[in-house]
Amino acid sequence: MVVNNILTIKKLKNLVDWKLLCFLVFFLNVKLAIKIPTIAIIYLLQFDFKFGFTFKNPRLSLFYPFIILIAIFNWLIGGYYSNLNYNLVFINGIFFWILCLLAMQQVKLFIEKNDVEIIHQTIIAFFILNAILSFFNLASIVIETGTINPYTYQGQYQKYFINTGDYIKGLTFDTSSTNAILNAFGVVYFLTKKNTIMLLLCMITMLATGSNCVNIILLFLLLILFIFKSNRNQKSLILICLMFVLLFMTKISPQNYEYIYETIKNTLHIKPEINKQNKERLYKPITLMPDSLLTTEEIKLKIAYKYIDSIYYLKHKANKSLSDEIAYKGRIVIPEPDINTQPYQHIIDTNNYQKHLLAFISTHKNNLPLSSKSDAPQLLGKITSWLQTLHFLAQHPLKAITGNGIGNFSSKLAFRASGLGFAGGYPEKYTYINPDFLSNHLDVYLNYFSKKTDLHSLTNSPNSVYDQLISEYGILGLIIFVIWYVGYFLKHYKILTYGLPILFMTMAFLLMEYWFEQLSILLFFELLLLLDIKENSSKIVLGYAH
């Protein structure tokens, strides 16, 4: 018995790299207080600082050391070293880039020391654990709401409903977008590996997060693969994935389809013309509108609504006691919830967080050209923020070369250092807000997130890796990113399998968030790309050796 147990333990030990699995689980956790000890412990277990920085065939990407050099250059020529609060922001920013570099070094070591199959099994284990925790998140919501489909549940002031996916955070406990992107990686990875079960598991988990942006990007990529790079088996699996998306958007969460449609319509400014005669039609339910403003079909619909409302009233409201709720066949009739009542609608009161933002806007309204106005925003926040960045660089041509400095225009660090509660806490006495950040990207965020919750979406957030690079590190920073980060992987394009579509998909994901500072999806991206390069290294012709 003891011998069998020992053999079982050895088998499990050899099945996956438990050290790599633990590193992924803990380092990808959203809490910085968990990331830092994790990287410290892994370096004690795998002590190696041989980064191999050379211009020809570097062992690691040169992007990280170069971007740190640009940050130091801006700090020196900008004279920011005289500002104590900014010095703390600067140190924080450099620390994040160093963490990115150290994490990539550890991933590289795991790839070099392990057999490909062991890493593959470790990745499977990670996605299984992530799916289990994601389904646990969903099950908790089902139990709390008492409904099998919380995506259509409008109770609790629509706490869940269209926002249900926001609570499916998975193993990282990060945003649902992080969970969605990791599973999008998994879909492409397991599609190439012909692992149907894991492919469908990742697809279902991704859809559960309800991330429309990720869904659209993955769908576009799958269609490209279907047309240009897939065999008959893979085409069948892609069609199944498309069916899953269709099922989710029509049966599970139909309001997501409506949300996408409204977002596109608002972006393109497709609005019906409103004249004085039909203005009333926009703001009144059909049952309260005069017949003179209705078509023949609308009048019939109005009569039907009134009839149904009358029957509902007679059945469920006119009678006061349960004994009066007896149907004509003697069964007890349980009144169904009326979704038009207050508990089934959005809370229209301004919450404490929004009051905090509004107070900040009131204090700094002279420096906030957008959020200080009461007008509804006309453009998406993402578009507005890009226009701000381009305008700023045009007004400051010298800063267009190396940027405005770390934490000074567009970054997670800039938001956190403001002390407004974005992206975690920050010591109040050391808060720092650069004037350029205040009147541009912070203004954009305040303009949308201080108003009604319908505007609190990813499309209205100014967050973007590209925006961060070009505004804080300039055109030079963007060039370095293209050559020594994207190029570091893309130079192996001839042998990449799942790596190539994942690379292009990641380039689209970088529009969504400050992912380098999140220390999450890009680490997993690097793991998959480095693994793909190792798997196919025997196919590399001379001149492409890594």
Side-chain angles (χ1 to χ4, degrees):
M1 185 70 177
V2 175
V3 174
N4 288 336
N5 289 336
I6 292 173
L7 290 174
T8 303
I9 292 170
K10 285 185 176 180
K11 188 176 179 181
L12 286 171
K13 184 179 178 182
N14 295 327
L15 187 64
V16 302
D17 186 334
W18 295 99
K19 192 160 53 175
L20 172 58
L21 182 60
C22 289
F23 175 65
L24 292 175
V25 169
F26 291 106
F27 190 79
L28 294 182
N29 188 282
V30 66
K31 296 291 185 182
L32 195 59
I34 296 177
K35 292 179 185 290
I36 294 174
T38 298
I39 199 73
I41 292 170
I42 202 67
Y43 265 93
L44 290 176
L45 298 174
Q46 270 188 169
F47 191 83
D48 192 327
F49 288 94
K50 297 174 182 177
F51 299 119
F53 291 137
T54 59
F55 280 101
K56 186 177 180 180
N57 297 323
R59 183 172 172 276
L60 295 179
S61 169
L62 290 172
F63 165 71
Y64 292 123
F66 280 151
I67 211 73
I68 290 172
L69 288 175
I70 292 177
I72 294 172
F73 175 79
N74 284 330
W75 176 68
L76 290 172
I77 65 166
Y80 295 116
Y81 46 80
S82 60
N83 186 324
L84 172 62
N85 286 21
Y86 180 75
N87 284 338
L88 294 176
V89 170
F90 173 76
I91 291 169
N92 262 283
I94 297 297
F95 177 68
F96 269 95
W97 287 119
I98 291 174
L99 275 180
C100 289
L101 175 61
L102 294 178
M104 187 180 188
Q105 161 73 339
Q106 285 300 318
V107 165
K108 183 71 173 178
L109 289 173
F110 280 119
I111 296 293
E112 290 174 342
K113 294 179 179 180
N114 273 306
D115 182 72
V116 167
E117 188 57 30
I118 294 292
I119 299 174
H120 175 63
Q121 295 297 331
T122 305
I123 291 172
I124 289 176
F126 174 85
F127 279 111
I128 289 174
L129 289 174
N130 184 67
I132 290 171
L133 199 54
S134 296
F135 294 140
F136 176 79
N137 295 152
L138 185 57
S140 301
I141 297 172
V142 169
I143 293 170
E144 181 186 341
T145 58
T147 178
I148 195 67
N149 183 14
Y151 295 90
T152 57
Y153 175 70
Q154 291 183 256
Q156 299 182 24
Y157 299 100
Q158 297 185 7
K159 174 184 176 182
Y160 296 111
F161 193 42
I162 194 173
N163 304 311
T164 300
D166 296 345
Y167 297 88
I168 314 298
K169 299 184 177 182
L171 201 58
T172 66
F173 298 95
D174 205 339
T175 62
S176 59
S177 297
T178 301
N179 194 7
I181 291 174
L182 289 174
N183 281 282
F185 288 160
V187 168
V188 177
Y189 177 74
F190 292 117
L191 177 67
T192 306
K193 293 293 183 180
K194 301 175 184 177
N195 190 329
T196 305
I197 294 175
M198 289 304 302
L199 164 67
L200 297 180
L201 184 66
C202 288
M203 191 71 194
I204 292 169
T205 307
M206 186 198 74
L207 289 174
T209 65
S211 178
N212 293 315
C213 287
V214 177
N215 290 348
I216 292 170
I217 292 169
L218 179 62
L219 280 179
F220 180 76
L221 180 71
L222 289 178
L223 287 173
I224 296 295
L225 292 176
F226 183 89
I227 297 169
F228 298 106
K229 196 177 181 182
S230 58
N231 54 38
R232 184 178 298 178
N233 240 0
Q234 290 171 326
K235 288 184 191 297
S236 299
L237 291 173
I238 290 172
L239 287 175
I240 292 173
C241 289
L242 296 178
M243 287 173 61
F244 274 28
V245 174
L246 187 63
L247 178 66
F248 180 81
M249 297 192 74
T250 57
K251 299 297 182 183
I252 308 299
S253 184
Q255 70 276 2
N256 264 301
Y257 168 77
E258 295 171 9
Y259 173 79
I260 294 172
Y261 171 74
E262 288 297 323
T263 300
I264 294 172
K265 188 176 72 172
N266 292 335
T267 303
L268 299 177
H269 297 287
I270 303 172
K271 296 181 180 179
E273 291 187 15
I274 303 172
N275 52 42
K276 293 180 180 179
Q277 186 180 10
N278 66 20
K279 192 176 282 187
E280 188 178 4
R281 297 168 64 95
L282 293 175
Y283 304 106
K284 278 189 178 181
I286 196 170
T287 53
L288 298 179
M289 287 167 55
D291 292 348
S292 59
L293 293 178
L294 301 176
T295 64
T296 304
E297 290 300 318
E298 287 173 332
I299 291 173
K300 292 179 181 178
L301 190 61
K302 176 182 174 181
I303 294 170
Y305 275 139
K306 286 193 170 184
Y307 174 77
I308 293 169
D309 289 344
S310 300
I311 295 298
Y312 183 87
Y313 179 81
L314 289 172
K315 276 189 172 185
H316 306 309
K317 295 184 178 179
N319 303 316
K320 302 297 182 183
S321 64
L322 185 62
S323 61
D324 293 328
E325 300 292 347
I326 306 297
Y328 67 96
K329 289 186 179 179
R331 291 177 297 180
I332 295 177
V333 178
I334 300 175
E336 294 183 2
D338 181 1
I339 63 170
N340 296 309
T341 57
Q342 189 182 5
Y344 294 89
Q345 305 303 315
H346 280 298
I347 299 175
I348 58 174
D349 293 338
T350 306
N351 59 39
N352 290 332
Y353 177 66
Q354 287 174 295
K355 288 177 181 177
H356 181 49
L357 298 185
L358 290 170
F360 182 87
I361 292 171
S362 178
T363 306
H364 300 84
K365 59 184 177 182
N366 292 333
N367 298 309
L368 300 170
L370 295 176
S371 56
S372 59
K373 298 176 182 177
S374 58
D375 302 343
Q378 297 299 311
L379 286 174
L380 291 178
K382 278 272 189 282
I383 296 174
T384 303
S385 61
W386 270 107
L387 292 174
Q388 286 179 337
T389 300
L390 294 175
H391 180 262
F392 176 80
L393 295 178
Q395 294 293 110
H396 304 84
L398 290 178
K399 289 188 176 182
I401 300 172
T402 60
N404 201 38
I406 193 167
N408 278 336
F409 198 93
S410 180
S411 59
K412 183 180 178 182
L413 179 59
F415 279 101
R416 189 170 62 252
S418 69
L420 286 171
F422 309 126
Y426 199 85
E428 187 177 351
K429 62 188 263 186
Y430 296 116
T431 57
Y432 171 84
I433 303 177
N434 186 280
D436 298 323
F437 170 60
L438 175 65
S439 58
N440 287 283
H441 283 21
L442 181 55
D443 189 21
V444 170
Y445 185 92
L446 294 170
N447 190 39
Y448 292 90
F449 289 82
S450 66
K451 294 182 173 65
K452 60 182 182 178
T453 55
D454 293 349
L455 297 173
H456 302 181
S457 70
L458 191 66
T459 55
N460 286 327
S461 166
N463 302 10
S464 164
V465 166
Y466 301 116
D467 206 331
Q468 177 185 11
L469 289 173
I470 198 167
S471 65
E472 295 193 352
Y473 304 91
I475 296 171
L476 183 59
L478 193 60
I479 291 172
I480 287 171
F481 169 75
V482 172
I483 295 175
W484 280 292
Y485 192 80
V486 178
Y488 173 80
F489 300 106
L490 196 57
K491 69 179 180 180
H492 301 284
Y493 73 95
K494 289 187 177 181
I495 61 158
L496 290 176
T497 54
Y498 53 84
L500 200 58
I502 287 177
L503 173 61
F504 289 130
M505 189 164 54
T506 302
M507 296 305 100
F509 291 147
L510 296 185
L511 288 165
M512 295 169 54
E513 185 55 82
Y514 302 122
W515 289 118
F516 280 110
E517 292 177 282
Q518 289 288 100
L519 297 167
S520 56
I521 70 158
L522 288 178
L523 176 72
F524 210 88
F525 160 78
E526 291 166 357
L527 171 68
L528 294 177
L529 267 290
L530 290 172
L531 176 62
D532 197 13
I533 292 168
K534 179 176 180 177
E535 278 188 271
N536 300 286
S537 59
S538 59
K539 302 175 187 176
I540 303 178
V541 296
L542 190 62
Y544 285 87
H546 182 53

PDB file of all heavy atoms in Angstrom, residues 415-433:
ATOM      1  N   PHE A 415      -3.150  56.721 -12.589  1.00  0.00           N
ATOM      2  CA  PHE A 415      -4.460  56.667 -11.946  1.00  0.00           C
ATOM      3  C   PHE A 415      -4.339  56.337 -10.456  1.00  0.00           C
ATOM      4  O   PHE A 415      -5.007  56.946  -9.623  1.00  0.00           O
ATOM      5  CB  PHE A 415      -5.348  55.631 -12.643  1.00  0.00           C
ATOM      6  CG  PHE A 415      -5.995  56.130 -13.891  1.00  0.00           C
ATOM      7  CD1 PHE A 415      -5.478  55.805 -15.146  1.00  0.00           C
ATOM      8  CD2 PHE A 415      -7.115  56.944 -13.835  1.00  0.00           C
ATOM      9  CE1 PHE A 415      -6.070  56.276 -16.309  1.00  0.00           C
ATOM     10  CE2 PHE A 415      -7.717  57.416 -14.994  1.00  0.00           C
ATOM     11  CZ  PHE A 415      -7.191  57.085 -16.232  1.00  0.00           C
ATOM     12  N   ARG A 416      -3.489  55.375 -10.139  1.00  0.00           N
ATOM     13  CA  ARG A 416      -3.361  54.965  -8.733  1.00  0.00           C
ATOM     14  C   ARG A 416      -2.757  56.082  -7.884  1.00  0.00           C
ATOM     15  O   ARG A 416      -3.181  56.318  -6.750  1.00  0.00           O
ATOM     16  CB  ARG A 416      -2.512  53.697  -8.633  1.00  0.00           C
ATOM     17  CG  ARG A 416      -2.513  53.076  -7.240  1.00  0.00           C
ATOM     18  CD  ARG A 416      -1.875  51.709  -7.179  1.00  0.00           C
ATOM     19  NE  ARG A 416      -0.477  51.722  -7.554  1.00  0.00           N
ATOM     20  CZ  ARG A 416       0.002  51.238  -8.691  1.00  0.00           C
ATOM     21  NH1 ARG A 416      -0.809  50.727  -9.592  1.00  0.00           N
ATOM     22  NH2 ARG A 416       1.290  51.280  -8.966  1.00  0.00           N
ATOM     23  N   ALA A 417      -1.754  56.772  -8.416  1.00  0.00           N
ATOM     24  CA  ALA A 417      -1.076  57.836  -7.662  1.00  0.00           C
ATOM     25  C   ALA A 417      -1.974  59.046  -7.422  1.00  0.00           C
ATOM     26  O   ALA A 417      -1.664  59.892  -6.586  1.00  0.00           O
ATOM     27  CB  ALA A 417       0.196  58.269  -8.393  1.00  0.00           C
ATOM     28  N   SER A 418      -3.098  59.132  -8.147  1.00  0.00           N
ATOM     29  CA  SER A 418      -4.017  60.261  -7.960  1.00  0.00           C
ATOM     30  C   SER A 418      -4.698  60.219  -6.595  1.00  0.00           C
ATOM     31  O   SER A 418      -5.218  61.235  -6.122  1.00  0.00           O
ATOM     32  CB  SER A 418      -5.081  60.264  -9.063  1.00  0.00           C
ATOM     33  OG  SER A 418      -5.968  59.163  -8.902  1.00  0.00           O
ATOM     34  N   GLY A 419      -4.719  59.032  -5.975  1.00  0.00           N
ATOM     35  CA  GLY A 419      -5.353  58.898  -4.663  1.00  0.00           C
ATOM     36  C   GLY A 419      -6.865  58.851  -4.718  1.00  0.00           C
ATOM     37  O   GLY A 419      -7.531  58.940  -3.680  1.00  0.00           O
ATOM     38  N   LEU A 420      -7.427  58.679  -5.913  1.00  0.00           N
ATOM     39  CA  LEU A 420      -8.886  58.638  -6.067  1.00  0.00           C
ATOM     40  C   LEU A 420      -9.453  57.226  -5.966  1.00  0.00           C
ATOM     41  O   LEU A 420     -10.639  57.012  -6.195  1.00  0.00           O
ATOM     42  CB  LEU A 420      -9.284  59.255  -7.414  1.00  0.00           C
ATOM     43  CG  LEU A 420      -9.179  60.777  -7.492  1.00  0.00           C
ATOM     44  CD1 LEU A 420      -9.373  61.264  -8.918  1.00  0.00           C
ATOM     45  CD2 LEU A 420     -10.192  61.444  -6.570  1.00  0.00           C
ATOM     46  N   GLY A 421      -8.597  56.276  -5.650  1.00  0.00           N
ATOM     47  CA  GLY A 421      -9.073  54.905  -5.474  1.00  0.00           C
ATOM     48  C   GLY A 421      -9.055  54.082  -6.735  1.00  0.00           C
ATOM     49  O   GLY A 421      -9.602  52.985  -6.773  1.00  0.00           O
ATOM     50  N   PHE A 422      -8.428  54.573  -7.807  1.00  0.00           N
ATOM     51  CA  PHE A 422      -8.303  53.785  -9.029  1.00  0.00           C
ATOM     52  C   PHE A 422      -7.202  52.758  -8.848  1.00  0.00           C
ATOM     53  O   PHE A 422      -6.127  53.073  -8.353  1.00  0.00           O
ATOM     54  CB  PHE A 422      -7.923  54.661 -10.238  1.00  0.00           C
ATOM     55  CG  PHE A 422      -8.794  55.861 -10.430  1.00  0.00           C
ATOM     56  CD1 PHE A 422      -8.251  57.125 -10.522  1.00  0.00           C
ATOM     57  CD2 PHE A 422     -10.163  55.727 -10.527  1.00  0.00           C
ATOM     58  CE1 PHE A 422      -9.038  58.237 -10.730  1.00  0.00           C
ATOM     59  CE2 PHE A 422     -10.966  56.834 -10.729  1.00  0.00           C
ATOM     60  CZ  PHE A 422     -10.412  58.089 -10.820  1.00  0.00           C
ATOM     61  N   ALA A 423      -7.438  51.538  -9.278  1.00  0.00           N
ATOM     62  CA  ALA A 423      -6.387  50.508  -9.352  1.00  0.00           C
ATOM     63  C   ALA A 423      -5.663  50.307  -8.031  1.00  0.00           C
ATOM     64  O   ALA A 423      -4.453  50.120  -7.996  1.00  0.00           O
ATOM     65  CB  ALA A 423      -5.383  50.876 -10.443  1.00  0.00           C
ATOM     66  N   GLY A 424      -6.385  50.383  -6.917  1.00  0.00           N
ATOM     67  CA  GLY A 424      -5.770  50.152  -5.618  1.00  0.00           C
ATOM     68  C   GLY A 424      -5.508  51.426  -4.840  1.00  0.00           C
ATOM     69  O   GLY A 424      -5.590  52.530  -5.375  1.00  0.00           O
ATOM     70  N   GLY A 425      -5.185  51.259  -3.587  1.00  0.00           N
ATOM     71  CA  GLY A 425      -4.957  52.410  -2.713  1.00  0.00           C
ATOM     72  C   GLY A 425      -3.600  53.042  -2.926  1.00  0.00           C
ATOM     73  O   GLY A 425      -2.704  52.471  -3.546  1.00  0.00           O
ATOM     74  N   TYR A 426      -3.469  54.258  -2.386  1.00  0.00           N
ATOM     75  CA  TYR A 426      -2.206  54.993  -2.485  1.00  0.00           C
ATOM     76  C   TYR A 426      -2.148  55.943  -1.289  1.00  0.00           C
ATOM     77  O   TYR A 426      -3.157  56.563  -0.949  1.00  0.00           O
ATOM     78  CB  TYR A 426      -2.148  55.777  -3.794  1.00  0.00           C
ATOM     79  CG  TYR A 426      -0.751  56.185  -4.204  1.00  0.00           C
ATOM     80  CD1 TYR A 426       0.066  55.309  -4.916  1.00  0.00           C
ATOM     81  CD2 TYR A 426      -0.241  57.443  -3.877  1.00  0.00           C
ATOM     82  CE1 TYR A 426       1.346  55.678  -5.304  1.00  0.00           C
ATOM     83  CE2 TYR A 426       1.035  57.824  -4.255  1.00  0.00           C
ATOM     84  CZ  TYR A 426       1.827  56.938  -4.975  1.00  0.00           C
ATOM     85  OH  TYR A 426       3.097  57.295  -5.348  1.00  0.00           O
ATOM     86  N   PRO A 427      -0.967  56.062  -0.639  1.00  0.00           N
ATOM     87  CA  PRO A 427      -0.861  56.950   0.529  1.00  0.00           C
ATOM     88  C   PRO A 427      -1.269  58.384   0.193  1.00  0.00           C
ATOM     89  O   PRO A 427      -0.737  58.988  -0.742  1.00  0.00           O
ATOM     90  CB  PRO A 427       0.627  56.875   0.899  1.00  0.00           C
ATOM     91  CG  PRO A 427       1.108  55.608   0.295  1.00  0.00           C
ATOM     92  CD  PRO A 427       0.301  55.384  -0.937  1.00  0.00           C
ATOM     93  N   GLU A 428      -2.213  58.922   0.945  1.00  0.00           N
ATOM     94  CA  GLU A 428      -2.788  60.232   0.638  1.00  0.00           C
ATOM     95  C   GLU A 428      -1.742  61.347   0.623  1.00  0.00           C
ATOM     96  O   GLU A 428      -1.769  62.222  -0.235  1.00  0.00           O
ATOM     97  CB  GLU A 428      -3.888  60.561   1.656  1.00  0.00           C
ATOM     98  CG  GLU A 428      -4.656  61.816   1.320  1.00  0.00           C
ATOM     99  CD  GLU A 428      -5.794  62.084   2.296  1.00  0.00           C
ATOM    100  OE1 GLU A 428      -6.086  61.202   3.126  1.00  0.00           O
ATOM    101  OE2 GLU A 428      -6.376  63.174   2.232  1.00  0.00           O
ATOM    102  N   LYS A 429      -0.812  61.313   1.555  1.00  0.00           N
ATOM    103  CA  LYS A 429       0.180  62.390   1.650  1.00  0.00           C
ATOM    104  C   LYS A 429       1.187  62.384   0.500  1.00  0.00           C
ATOM    105  O   LYS A 429       1.896  63.360   0.273  1.00  0.00           O
ATOM    106  CB  LYS A 429       0.915  62.334   2.996  1.00  0.00           C
ATOM    107  CG  LYS A 429       1.708  61.071   3.226  1.00  0.00           C
ATOM    108  CD  LYS A 429       2.240  61.022   4.666  1.00  0.00           C
ATOM    109  CE  LYS A 429       3.643  61.516   4.734  1.00  0.00           C
ATOM    110  NZ  LYS A 429       4.266  61.361   6.065  1.00  0.00           N
ATOM    111  N   TYR A 430       1.241  61.254  -0.246  1.00  0.00           N
ATOM    112  CA  TYR A 430       2.189  61.156  -1.358  1.00  0.00           C
ATOM    113  C   TYR A 430       1.507  61.157  -2.733  1.00  0.00           C
ATOM    114  O   TYR A 430       2.121  60.812  -3.736  1.00  0.00           O
ATOM    115  CB  TYR A 430       3.036  59.888  -1.221  1.00  0.00           C
ATOM    116  CG  TYR A 430       3.903  59.885   0.016  1.00  0.00           C
ATOM    117  CD1 TYR A 430       3.706  58.935   1.021  1.00  0.00           C
ATOM    118  CD2 TYR A 430       4.914  60.832   0.183  1.00  0.00           C
ATOM    119  CE1 TYR A 430       4.490  58.932   2.157  1.00  0.00           C
ATOM    120  CE2 TYR A 430       5.710  60.835   1.318  1.00  0.00           C
ATOM    121  CZ  TYR A 430       5.491  59.881   2.308  1.00  0.00           C
ATOM    122  OH  TYR A 430       6.266  59.888   3.433  1.00  0.00           O
ATOM    123  N   THR A 431       0.236  61.529  -2.761  1.00  0.00           N
ATOM    124  CA  THR A 431      -0.480  61.528  -4.043  1.00  0.00           C
ATOM    125  C   THR A 431       0.171  62.500  -5.031  1.00  0.00           C
ATOM    126  O   THR A 431       0.750  63.519  -4.644  1.00  0.00           O
ATOM    127  CB  THR A 431      -1.958  61.915  -3.857  1.00  0.00           C
ATOM    128  OG1 THR A 431      -2.041  63.191  -3.220  1.00  0.00           O
ATOM    129  CG2 THR A 431      -2.692  60.873  -3.043  1.00  0.00           C
ATOM    130  N   TYR A 432       0.048  62.133  -6.304  1.00  0.00           N
ATOM    131  CA  TYR A 432       0.679  62.943  -7.354  1.00  0.00           C
ATOM    132  C   TYR A 432      -0.205  62.905  -8.596  1.00  0.00           C
ATOM    133  O   TYR A 432      -0.612  61.830  -9.062  1.00  0.00           O
ATOM    134  CB  TYR A 432       2.067  62.390  -7.688  1.00  0.00           C
ATOM    135  CG  TYR A 432       2.701  63.022  -8.908  1.00  0.00           C
ATOM    136  CD1 TYR A 432       3.397  64.223  -8.826  1.00  0.00           C
ATOM    137  CD2 TYR A 432       2.593  62.408 -10.158  1.00  0.00           C
ATOM    138  CE1 TYR A 432       3.967  64.811  -9.943  1.00  0.00           C
ATOM    139  CE2 TYR A 432       3.165  62.988 -11.286  1.00  0.00           C
ATOM    140  CZ  TYR A 432       3.852  64.189 -11.172  1.00  0.00           C
ATOM    141  OH  TYR A 432       4.419  64.759 -12.277  1.00  0.00           O
ATOM    142  N   ILE A 433      -0.523  64.089  -9.124  1.00  0.00           N
ATOM    143  CA  ILE A 433      -1.294  64.189 -10.367  1.00  0.00           C
ATOM    144  C   ILE A 433      -0.613  65.197 -11.273  1.00  0.00           C
ATOM    145  O   ILE A 433      -0.573  66.393 -10.967  1.00  0.00           O
ATOM    146  CB  ILE A 433      -2.751  64.628 -10.113  1.00  0.00           C
ATOM    147  CG1 ILE A 433      -3.463  63.678  -9.150  1.00  0.00           C
ATOM    148  CG2 ILE A 433      -3.520  64.711 -11.432  1.00  0.00           C
ATOM    149  CD1 ILE A 433      -4.880  64.110  -8.800  1.00  0.00           C
TER     150      ILE A 433
END
